[in-house]
Amino acid sequence: MGLFKTRKVYYLYNPNTLAYERVYPSAKDRFFAVLKHLSSGVLIGAAVFFICMYYFRSPVEILMEKENNLLQTQYDILSRRLDEALSVLEDIQQRDENLYRVIFQARSIPESVRKSGFGGANRYAHLMNLSNSELVIETAKKTDMLSKQLYIQSNSLEELFSMGKDLDRRSQCVPAIQPVSNKHLKHMASGYGMRIDPIYHTLRFHSGMDFSAPVGTDIYATGNGTVIYAGWKQAYGNCTVIDHGFDFKTLYAHQSKILVQVGQKVTRGEVIGKVGNTGKSTGSHLHYEVLLRNRPDNPAKYYYMDLGPEEYDRMIQLAENHGQVMD
């Protein structure tokens, strides 16, 4: 008995009648036949779809890929430009720190302040899910860094500009002459730095300069300012301190006589006292200090209105050659 199909019409050979008789399939047979054809169609369609997806791209995909490549190129260009801008800004910062702030003797801006960042990684968490997220985040960090450093540098230049406007008044206030008449450098006794104590004979830091002179020699204010101390000070004897503004103060010790009072305004070259031998002193002299931001600074750096280049070199040599101080 054989079975064959012709256009969904089925026949079965009957040996008893020696004839083919038409067979009508059951509903179950029809269901499975339809399911078989549908499954085959779905499998073939899926295979064709994935082959097309793998080997062929849609116009939308091609356009998106072009846009993505263009965007990445733009980010690369932006990143390079930010690097160049940061490099230029760093040069300005170096010039600001090592030239302008030195000229105006302004406070230094710490590197930690100039180059400080913006919080942690959470600041850029919303960018993590973007394509090329590393490039986008790195560019965002550079942009933030540039923005903050520009803000700090802008404030720095504003500060220096303000100092520049006060340059004339500042030049009158900076302690720029010697505190005693010493044109020929005959009164130089000892300089700033490590020296031998005259009483204890031990090495110690000498925070000013000593000028040997007879008792009663005039002492001059080395810059315009206001007297903030005038009286006895332990070890310093009769002592005067002048606040010159612009972070400068000067101290005049071991005086025999103080000629100014607290709150009095003084000008450069004005006589403020007389050389003496009071306090911890081994002879008649003036101990003179320059304080910058309340810390001792070498007074020899500030005699530019009083000494020429050769005289300045000679004064430095004399100060260095005296290993023992007078107080």
Side-chain angles (χ1 to χ4, degrees), residues 64-93:
M64 290 180 63
E65 183 176 357
K66 287 182 179 179
E67 290 180 350
N68 188 54
N69 291 336
L70 179 60
L71 185 62
Q72 182 168 353
T73 301
Q74 290 174 338
Y75 266 107
D76 287 333
I77 294 172
L78 177 59
S79 180
R80 286 196 296 271
R81 288 181 176 175
L82 286 171
D83 287 335
E84 293 171 358
L86 286 168
S87 178
V88 172
L89 180 57
E90 184 175 4
D91 182 65
I92 295 173
Q93 290 171 338

Side-chain angles (χ1 to χ4, degrees), residues 178 182-185 188 300 303-304 306-319:
Q178 296 179 93
N182 190 32
K183 187 67 174 177
H184 300 293
L185 306 177
M188 182 58 59
Y303 301 144
Y304 53 85
D306 214 16
L307 300 174
E310 294 182 1
E311 294 169 328
Y312 181 82
D313 289 340
R314 177 63 178 159
M315 181 268 296
I316 294 296
Q317 293 173 9
L318 289 171

Side-chain angles (χ1 to χ4, degrees), residues 241-254:
V241 179
I242 299 175
D243 188 345
H244 301 275
F246 303 97
D247 292 326
F248 283 104
K249 294 184 179 121
T250 52
L251 179 147
Y252 312 77
H254 310 301

Side-chain angles (χ1 to χ4, degrees), residues 168-202:
D168 183 59
R169 187 166 67 90
R170 184 179 185 278
S171 66
Q172 297 174 15
C173 294
V174 173
I177 63 172
Q178 296 179 93
V180 296
S181 181
N182 190 32
K183 187 67 174 177
H184 300 293
L185 306 177
K186 295 180 180 179
H187 299 300
M188 182 58 59
S190 182
Y192 176 91
M194 299 303 296
R195 295 292 186 271
I196 299 173
D197 189 283
I199 296 176
Y200 303 109
H201 304 290
T202 56

